Amino acid sequence: QTKTGIALLYDEVSENAYDIRLKLTKEVLTIQKQDVICVSGSDHSANHRTVTLRRQPVGGLGLSIKGGAEHKVPVVISKIFKDQAAEQTGMLFIGDAIIQVNGINVESATHEEVVHLLRNAGDEVTITVQYLREAPSFLKLPLGSPGPPSDHSSGTSSPLFDSGLHLNGNSTNTAPSSPSSPIANEPKYEKRWLDTLSVPLSMARISRYKTGTDKLRSNAFEVLALDGVSTGILQFYTAQESADWLRAMSTNISDLTLQNMKMANKCCSPSDQVIHMGWVNERLEGTDSSQLYKFKFLALKGSSFYIFSTPPVSTLDWVRAEKIYNLCEVLFKVHKLWLADDCWLQANLYLGIHQDFDLEDQRPYCFSVMVGHGKSHYFNVELGSELVVWEKSFQRAIFLEVQRTGSKTYMCRWQGDTLCFTVDFALGFTCFDSKTKNVLWRFKFSQLKGSSDDGKTRVKMLFQNLDTKQIETKELEFQDLTAVLHCIHSFIAAKVASVDPVFIDSQSIARRYMYSN
């Protein structure tokens, strides 16, 4: 199904916006601009048209004009009156810029100078025009010609004066002149929407923010193709229109990503399937502490969490990821949701594991992925629905990896000895001698009653003895404590999910928020 609509293309350099038409299909977003084309007759250039108007006693030239050099725009035809001279030529259109009047170049003329020329040009006025494809939106030109103005362009008046030339000018001829009309062998012209840019949506990304900042564009966003081609800033007349188009484009991009995932999974073993992938913004901390966001492409595949600068498009691309982490050793955490009352909701997932973050940025829909050695990656997505998908996908990918792996073993130290510590999906926690393999102690997941750590290498775990009901403290030292704690969290969460899936769903902050709204 194709979606079409009128929008504005905003030029950040000139700070002007131009009327465009958007055409969205499942695979491509096309930007169209209006132009005048020759549809029949002699193959004259539609870029410049020279038209002779015969001034009528009633109605004059039958057009109005706007603009001028003082506004840094050419003088353009802003109205064409039905059944009057300009319309009868069939060669003039709203949006035509006037280049010459009776051979006099007026491209650099002011509004009043062109009005004076047209009013005093006699009964026959020859004008040369060229359609202004990028007419600034402040001219408020109707998009339809002839006929009623479009819904968007008729809502407010232009700050520029609209000079009507449908009244009589200084004419010496008092007798009715024959109406202006196209000659049989002259070319015929039409104003049409023409394709100017097509952006493939496969692996495309959307940004509502000004580049590298936290400043949200008002009712506007940009779509960037995989090869970097940009639509430019697409601006919409209302917040509702902007939201509708954003959702529609995001949906199509997501559907195409799903197709790409299915294609990739045909080449992968059952244990190495892509669970989810897509674009996010990663917050980077600069040397001057300024916040900067960059596009990153994330993927959850098999046993790993990948971070790319550009999407993998072949099986060989997977080895060129910027970062690769084992899914058992990462912790996904929702940070922010933008609420209706403009408050921030800060959330921790599952078992209350908490870590402080600098949350000064103003982007909603943020999550972090904490990795080994106390490090983390902080991400932002454009829509709340995307946050829900990432949260669920991380859960699924981690749980699948835990069940596939079954157990993880880490080297540690306890009471001066080098030991092995195993987290096992079926057995729980086991500590054994690295040389003799003798088991020193073993506890089920349900026996873990609490833990504390020094934030560096040491952790204390409190287990309840099933026979004596007493609490036993086990203190271990790990080289990468964070990875071990995340692994413990992953295994316990997967165990809970296997026993009570409803509990895990109830802990979903993002989904609970989205459904309540």
Side-chain angles (χ1 to χ4, degrees), residues 221-415:
F221 57 85
E222 179 181 14
V223 182
L224 297 105
L226 179 59
D227 61 3
V229 171
S230 168
T231 57
I233 312 304
L234 305 178
Q235 206 167 50
F236 297 86
Y237 291 91
T238 65
Q240 185 62 52
E241 278 186 341
S242 178
D244 288 347
W245 277 97
L246 185 64
R247 275 193 293 267
M249 291 183 202
S250 295
T251 298
N252 289 9
I253 291 171
S254 296
D255 290 346
L256 291 170
T257 301
L258 194 59
Q259 288 181 23
N260 289 327
M261 283 168 46
K262 288 178 179 177
M263 290 293 291
N265 284 339
K266 287 181 180 179
C267 307
C268 301
S269 66
S271 63
D272 198 30
Q273 297 282 293
V274 180
I275 302 297
H276 186 57
M277 60 184 186
W279 286 103
V280 299
N281 300 293
E282 182 175 16
R283 190 180 75 186
L284 307 174
E285 296 296 341
T287 51
D288 59 352
S289 298
S290 62
Q291 290 179 359
L292 182 68
Y293 280 85
K294 283 192 175 180
F295 280 113
K296 299 289 180 179
F297 192 86
L298 308 185
L300 303 172
K301 180 176 182 285
S303 62
S304 301
F305 163 50
Y306 295 83
I307 301 177
F308 295 91
S309 56
T310 56
V313 293
S314 72
T315 52
L316 297 175
D317 289 339
W318 289 91
V319 298
R320 60 171 179 77
E322 290 183 353
K323 300 283 184 181
I324 304 176
Y325 299 103
N326 183 275
L327 279 166
C328 289
E329 297 177 350
V330 302
L331 182 68
F332 176 92
K333 190 173 179 180
V334 171
H335 276 289
K336 289 183 179 179
L337 299 168
W338 186 250
L339 300 181
D341 60 356
D342 288 343
C343 292
W344 288 113
L345 173 65
Q346 299 185 18
N348 294 321
L349 291 186
Y350 312 137
L351 306 178
I353 291 182
H354 177 73
Q355 185 168 338
D356 291 328
F357 280 86
D358 174 19
L359 298 178
E360 293 179 355
D361 65 288
Q362 296 300 302
R363 293 193 177 203
Y365 314 128
C366 296
F367 66 91
S368 65
V369 180
M370 290 174 273
V371 296
H373 297 288
K375 296 180 180 179
S376 67
H377 295 272
Y378 192 89
F379 302 109
N380 150 259
V381 289
E382 300 288 337
L383 296 172
S385 56
E386 293 178 296
L387 184 62
V388 172
V389 172
W390 277 114
E391 181 187 31
K392 190 169 185 177
S393 298
F394 263 93
Q395 283 182 4
R396 183 169 169 237
I398 290 170
F399 295 169
L400 284 172
E401 177 56 17
V402 166
Q403 290 169 353
R404 267 196 306 264
T405 304
S407 67
K408 294 278 285 185
T409 299
Y410 298 91
M411 299 296 291
C412 65
R413 293 185 66 81
W414 181 52
Q415 295 180 348

Side-chain angles (χ1 to χ4, degrees), residues 127-138:
I127 62 173
T128 299
V129 296
Q130 178 181 11
Y131 188 73
L132 187 62
R133 293 183 72 188
E134 295 185 346
S137 60
F138 64 75

